[in-house]
Amino acid sequence: MEKNRKRIALLGSTGSIGTQAIEVIEQFPELLQIEVLTAFSNADLLIKQAKKCKPNIVVIGKEDLYKYVKEALWDDDVKVFAGMQAINEVVQMECVDMVLSAIVGVAGLAPIFKAIEADKQIALANKETLVVAGELMTRTAYEHGVNIYPVDSEHSAIFQSLAGEFHNPISRLIITASGGPFLHKNRGFLQTVTKEQALKHPNWKMGNKITIDSSTLMNKGLEVIEAKWLFAVPLEKIEVLVHPQSIVHSLVEFADGSIKAQLGLPDMKLPIQYALTYPQRMTSDLPRLNFAEHPTLTFEAPDLETFPCLALAYEASRKGGCLPCVMNAANEAAVSLFLQDRIGFNDIPKIIEDALSQADFCIPSTIEEYLQIDKETKIKTLEKNSK
Ligand code: NAD
Ligand code: MG
């Protein structure tokens, strides 16, 4: 029985998706097994997870924490490595069947490529990788016969709605958005909002970066681009619809006008589980949706003037080449500045727009080129906006 278990390398195990993924995997010991855990700097949680989950290998990204982790796991039967290069190497190991990437930001790009090149199946939460290098990543996955299973709830909903429809053309993808904590606010109000206000998401508890992205609607922009690559659907056929209750997780319209959707309470464990156990639906004890308790499901168009990030993402993706990478890098830099109280909320889209207008258009053909553009954009953005 053990031989048939899917052996998983969980990248970013200490984050919001990472910790929930461990809970999911623990539910199905007959099917899933944690082979590798990696984290960047939360050594204490990584050590705790290693003692509990008993993986074969752990990697701590920050190299100066190696000794600390190694000593703490001295008595445990687990190999300890450190550094980003080690993450790139462990994903290629024979003992790994599937890589679940729950790293945040472009930092996950190199490991994902290494995993695809070693023919590992991918469960992807780390949407920024598809935003930055979607064309190269999906082409490489195709060449290696690698499937990329979405973990993002909207994309999982689309994937689930597409079951049995693979040969039927899609006429429209409708990605739902909660609208975030500042739904129905105007730009004047947003002028003075603090990071504490932006970090209070109404429906989801997530890592800081994606929570800020949700409040600016950049998260939806990233998701539109993610959907374009995952499902090979052109941008013109991808719409965003604000749905504050986060019950309908996204919808697909087919040629005959029929629309399919996936519904459920907002809980990332369900899309994580589906990505890991696909094509099986395993019995879970997740809370069930009771329609009588949610009698009102509402839908409205997004406010692109108050939240320019969504339109910027469409524009960057339409122009293509290096621009989605520039946009993502400027966004990562702007979000980190906002989280350090060094810029205001409305500066985030301004910084991204500025970076896009200053960018020299090019079409990168390797991961290294994308990473170089990411690095240069971040340096420029941080220099320009450091008061
Ligand atoms: P998080 O900040 O809670 O966790 C990030 C994880 O990545 C941590 O384990 C951290 O150690 C690791 N990490 C950070 N920087 C790293 C680096 N430079 N090198 C290696 N590892 C690094 O983030 P999260 O909310 O779990 O989000 C992870 C990804 O999943 C993001 O791309 C996000 O957009 C996506 N996602 C998250 C949710 C959610 O509910 N949290 C939902 C959908 C998609
Ligand atoms: Mg999402």
Side-chain angles (χ1 to χ4, degrees), residues 127 152-154 219 223:
K127 64 190 89 182
D152 216 347
S153 56
E154 297 76 2
N219 183 48
E223 290 184 355

Side-chain angles (χ1 to χ4, degrees), residues 112-151:
I112 280 283
F113 264 82
K114 291 290 175 198
I116 293 173
E117 282 165 2
D119 302 339
K120 307 301 181 189
Q121 298 305 308
I122 305 290
L124 188 73
N126 186 195
K127 64 190 89 182
E128 294 91 344
T129 57
L130 276 175
V131 171
V132 170
E135 204 267 333
L136 184 58
M137 190 163 147
T138 48
R139 180 159 36 90
T140 312
Y142 180 76
E143 285 164 4
H144 284 264
V146 163
N147 293 322
I148 302 176
Y149 298 100
V151 169

Side-chain angles (χ1 to χ4, degrees), residues 23-44:
E23 286 179 47
V24 170
I25 294 167
E26 282 175 338
Q27 293 286 310
F28 307 108
E30 72 289 359
L31 277 187
L32 308 169
Q33 169 186 336
I34 295 178
E35 197 64 26
V36 177
L37 293 175
T38 83
F40 184 62
S41 58
N42 192 344
D44 289 324

Side-chain angles (χ1 to χ4, degrees), residues 334-346:
V335 169
S336 77
L337 288 168
F338 179 68
L339 286 171
Q340 296 163 44
D341 298 316
R342 287 161 67 187
I343 59 168
F345 187 82
N346 286 340

Side-chain angles (χ1 to χ4, degrees), residues 125 127 151-155 175-176 204 206 210 214 219-220 223 226 249-250 268:
K127 64 190 89 182
V151 169
D152 216 347
S153 56
E154 297 76 2
H155 305 73
I175 300 183
T176 51
W204 300 94
M206 311 179 284
I210 183 177
S214 300
N219 183 48
K220 239 10 85 171
E223 290 184 355
E226 180 185 15
H249 295 307
S250 279
M268 285 308 297

Side-chain angles (χ1 to χ4, degrees), residues 244-262:
Q245 298 80 21
S246 297
I247 297 286
V248 179
H249 295 307
S250 279
L251 313 92
V252 183
E253 185 187 279
F254 296 94
D256 58 359
S258 186
I259 293 180
K260 285 168 77 175
Q262 184 260 338

